Amino acid sequence: METADTLTEDFDPERYLRWLADRSVELLGAQGAGVMYTGGDEPVRLVACSRGQAAVRDLLEVQCCGGPCVDSFGTGEPVAPVRIDAEGAGARWPEFAEQADKYGIAGTYAVPISRRGHVLGVLNVFVPARHHVVASERELRIAQALAGAAAVGLSNHRTHSEYRTLSRQLQTALDSRIRIEQAKGILAERWNVDMDEAFEALRRYARRERQVIDVVATQVIKGSIAGEKLRGNRSEPS
């Protein structure tokens, strides 16, 4: 499967999902395909294939009132091929079925984009009226394979992103600690006191001025805070 490198800094999930939708249309002979995707804490994204993009987006948006994507999201299971008629989709999702009929869609099915039981999104395929059947077992398996491969890429990207975020947070904490230790050393030497007393002076000043102690430490390193201000009413030894 031709997939983008999901571990690069410039990886774009939306572009990746559009590629998935386009590839689905190509391999499944579909009229269109789209993806409903949730990126963790981000709002749900609706990504349509390049061909007939406006129509597919409409079909994804109308599913706020119910549709194959919502059902598959909720159960974590595929939604088997269903015809767009009164007995099929019309009975289950009337607003979706009405919109699909306007675009000449004969049937639809959806497969979850899931990894280890966690649903990341849903691939929704729209079948044109020229097809004699909504979808064969082979086509459904292809859609599931495409969704499964996409899930691996998206899951790896999410894990990699979380690792990078944690790494940055740890580095920030380490840099902050180094600055505080450096400021403590400067004050301890200047005032001829131990490191604990120097740290208490930093902490008291930060609380009094409602500043982050790391900011105060940086100001000490730069020499932009007078010693008298840091020690309060205590005078600084010459």
Side-chain angles (χ1 to χ4, degrees):
M1 182 178 179
E2 305 164 5
T3 57
D5 186 351
T6 61
L7 303 184
T8 60
E9 293 288 339
D10 62 348
F11 173 73
D12 180 0
E14 190 159 325
R15 185 171 62 239
Y16 181 71
L17 293 170
R18 180 161 292 112
W19 175 88
L20 169 64
D22 287 343
R23 193 73 171 134
S24 299
V25 170
E26 178 185 341
L27 291 176
L28 299 169
Q31 183 166 328
V35 176
M36 189 176 285
Y37 170 72
T38 175
D41 296 331
E42 300 174 12
V44 172
R45 300 189 193 189
L46 305 178
V47 182
C49 60
S50 300
R51 190 173 72 191
Q53 192 172 126
V56 171
R57 190 166 186 85
D58 282 350
L59 291 171
L60 294 175
E61 288 177 349
V62 77
Q63 294 189 49
C64 64
C65 301
C69 280
V70 175
D71 282 13
S72 186
F73 246 129
T75 64
E77 298 293 335
V79 170
V82 58
R83 288 197 170 278
I84 305 298
D85 56 26
E87 291 75 28
R92 297 170 67 177
W93 321 293
E95 292 188 33
F96 167 78
E98 182 180 354
Q99 192 76 351
D101 186 58
K102 288 179 181 177
Y103 287 113
I105 304 297
T108 187
Y109 54 98
V111 292
I113 301 171
S114 61
R115 177 73 168 160
R116 295 173 181 168
H118 182 60
V119 180
L120 306 174
V122 176
L123 170 65
N124 196 179
V125 180
F126 304 106
V127 181
R130 66 177 180 272
H131 281 209
H132 298 297
V133 294
V134 176
S136 66
E137 189 64 32
R138 175 178 173 275
E139 288 169 330
L140 193 58
R141 285 199 304 269
I142 291 173
Q144 289 176 312
L146 288 168
V152 172
L154 291 168
S155 181
N156 288 344
H157 167 69
R158 187 174 294 184
T159 300
H160 185 60
S161 296
E162 290 171 353
Y163 172 79
R164 289 203 316 268
T165 299
L166 177 60
S167 179
R168 284 194 295 267
Q169 290 170 344
L170 290 173
Q171 187 61 53
T172 298
L174 177 60
D175 292 344
S176 173
R177 190 64 193 170
I178 290 171
R179 285 189 291 270
I180 291 170
E181 290 298 318
Q182 187 178 353
K184 284 165 55 178
I186 291 171
L187 295 178
E189 182 179 1
R190 182 186 301 168
W191 295 340
N192 193 26
V193 297
D194 61 31
M195 296 285 277
D196 288 343
E197 185 172 341
F199 178 70
E200 282 302 316
L202 282 171
R203 186 163 62 177
R204 282 196 304 271
Y205 181 85
R207 287 176 176 174
R208 189 168 63 246
E209 299 298 323
R210 296 183 179 178
Q211 293 185 14
V212 178
I213 194 169
D214 181 33
V215 174
V216 177
T218 302
Q219 292 172 337
V220 169
I221 295 167
K222 293 180 177 179
S224 56
I225 302 179
E228 293 83 355
K229 292 184 66 176
L230 276 169
R231 302 191 84 180
N233 296 327
R234 301 176 59 179
S235 59
E236 180 180 356
S238 57

